[in-house]
Amino acid sequence: MFNLENLFGKSTRGRRLKSADRVSGALPFITAGETDQGISAFIGNDVKVFSANTTTIDMFGSAKYRNFKYGGDDHIAVVHTNKLPKYASVFVTSAIHKSSYNGQFNYGRNFYAKDADALDISLPVKDGKPDYEIMETIISAIHKLVIKDVVLYVEKKKKELNKLTENANAVKC
């Protein structure tokens, strides 16, 4: 078990930006929620920009990996995993989500940056320290399996479509 603050320093959070005050732009703006991965708008406002390869945790405890720069409102905590390799950061995000998204946070009891700092997560260990190399290997393997499954699915659908086309052509003759 590892404490997030000990691993990544203090978590931070964005600032409130009411919908009416948002200026249209290119920067993804993250708020609480599952719809569109929490991206509520693309803004041009002058806000704090968070680094890519970080993790957000919304007010309900839902953690998401961000592979892009973004702004965020005061209902998200940002865990600064940006110094980790990408796949290790994805693994850590999954561990955070498992620890934080357990039903204890809701509209009456929001998850805040201070909650992230107090959060303990379970990670693989090597010599008493987080084994980021094995985390990368695991996520890389999962990534490859998913890609393989998608390729197989597309090939299957192509075959089905070809068979339908052949049958339709045979009926026309």
Side-chain angles (χ1 to χ4, degrees):
M1 295 298 285
F2 295 92
N3 173 267
L4 280 187
E5 184 177 357
N6 291 341
L7 289 174
F8 306 112
K10 285 213 169 282
S11 298
T12 55
R13 68 184 214 175
R15 291 243 161 101
R16 179 155 307 206
L17 182 61
K18 295 185 285 190
S19 297
D21 297 333
R22 296 177 191 165
V23 175
S24 184
L27 183 70
F29 190 70
I30 308 298
T31 59
E34 297 300 316
T35 305
D36 295 325
Q37 294 290 310
I39 300 172
S40 64
F42 289 87
I43 63 168
N45 300 70
D46 183 21
V47 296
K48 180 175 182 174
V49 177
F50 296 101
S51 299
N53 198 42
T54 54
T55 300
T56 60
I57 311 171
D58 72 15
M59 63 192 253
F60 305 111
S62 181
K64 293 181 181 57
Y65 172 74
R66 306 292 176 182
N67 64 346
F68 51 86
K69 292 181 180 180
Y70 58 93
D73 79 358
D74 58 339
H75 288 292
I76 62 150
V78 178
V79 180
H80 301 279
T81 55
N82 47 305
K83 291 184 178 150
L84 293 179
K86 176 183 176 179
Y87 287 151
S89 189
V90 170
F91 189 102
V92 167
T93 300
S94 296
I96 291 170
H97 188 82
K98 185 172 188 220
S99 291
S100 62
Y101 196 64
N102 53 25
Q104 75 184 54
F105 300 104
N106 53 48
Y107 285 109
R109 165 75 170 98
N110 292 182
F111 187 98
Y112 292 109
K114 66 179 174 56
D115 296 308
D117 293 340
L119 195 65
D120 292 326
I121 60 173
S122 181
L123 298 173
V125 177
K126 183 176 183 180
D127 300 325
K129 296 180 181 174
D131 188 348
Y132 295 116
E133 189 175 313
I134 195 70
M135 291 179 219
E136 283 186 277
T137 301
I138 290 168
I139 296 300
S140 177
I142 291 169
H143 186 84
K144 288 174 184 173
L145 287 171
V146 168
I147 290 171
K148 178 183 173 192
D149 286 347
V150 169
V151 168
L152 292 172
Y153 175 81
V154 169
E155 288 174 357
K156 177 183 172 190
K157 291 299 177 185
K158 278 178 153 178
K159 286 178 184 176
E160 290 173 5
L161 182 59
N162 287 339
K163 191 170 189 161
L164 285 173
T165 303
E166 288 171 9
N167 290 342
N169 288 337
V171 169
K172 286 181 185 177
C173 295

